[in-house]
Amino acid sequence: QVQLVESGGGSVQAGGSLRLSCAASGYTYPNYCMGWFRQAPAKEREGVAAIATRGGNSYYAASVKGRFAVSRDSAKNTVYLQMNSLEPEDTAVYYCAAGRKPYGCDSASWWRPSEYTTWGQGTQVTVSS
């Protein structure tokens, strides 16, 4: 079984940057879609970005496009989310998730939590004005 652990969250001022990491342990099936989600208080879980472990095709929510970048290091079984130009609206608990996808992430549904079967514990990101 695969376990996911997020790290790299913290507190930063508006305009700053953070880099989140999602480390996978245990058996890692090679054909995954790895997603990043976030959830702010009193809001639904929102898909932020996703990347296919094979091929590296990536996807972004409109609210973060141009500011965030998702990447992966296959040798380290780790996925990253580089967050630049952070805004107070980005404040949330950020989660990584994994779903088996033989052909990569689905461009039409990568943002749906139901696409993923394994979730990390979350890491807090706080952006102050």
Side-chain angles (χ1 to χ4, degrees):
Q1 299 298 316
V2 177
Q3 295 84 42
L4 305 176
V5 178
E6 302 97 335
S7 62
S11 182
V12 66
Q13 290 188 326
S17 298
L18 286 172
R19 186 196 192 200
L20 305 183
S21 299
C22 175
S25 61
Y27 179 78
T28 304
Y29 187 76
N31 301 324
Y32 275 100
C33 178
M34 300 295 299
W36 284 99
F37 289 76
R38 66 187 182 186
Q39 188 163 22
K43 288 192 174 183
E44 294 184 343
R45 190 163 295 190
E46 174 190 19
V48 176
I51 188 168
T53 57
R54 285 192 173 182
N57 289 340
S58 58
Y59 306 88
Y60 299 92
S63 59
V64 307
K65 194 172 296 182
R67 299 188 297 122
F68 291 9
V70 63
S71 61
R72 85 267 197 253
D73 186 333
S74 298
K76 294 183 177 181
N77 291 325
T78 301
V79 176
Y80 304 96
L81 184 67
Q82 178 67 45
M83 305 186 296
N84 299 323
S85 302
L86 284 163
E87 304 168 353
E89 293 75 18
D90 297 317
T91 296
V93 176
Y94 283 71
Y95 301 88
C96 65
R100 286 191 176 188
K101 295 291 181 180
Y103 306 110
C105 303
D106 189 327
S107 62
S109 61
W110 65 266
W111 50 269
R112 294 176 178 169
S114 61
E115 293 288 291
Y116 304 88
T117 57
T118 304
W119 294 79
Q121 84 290 345
T123 185
Q124 176 70 47
V125 171
T126 302
V127 184
S128 60
S129 301

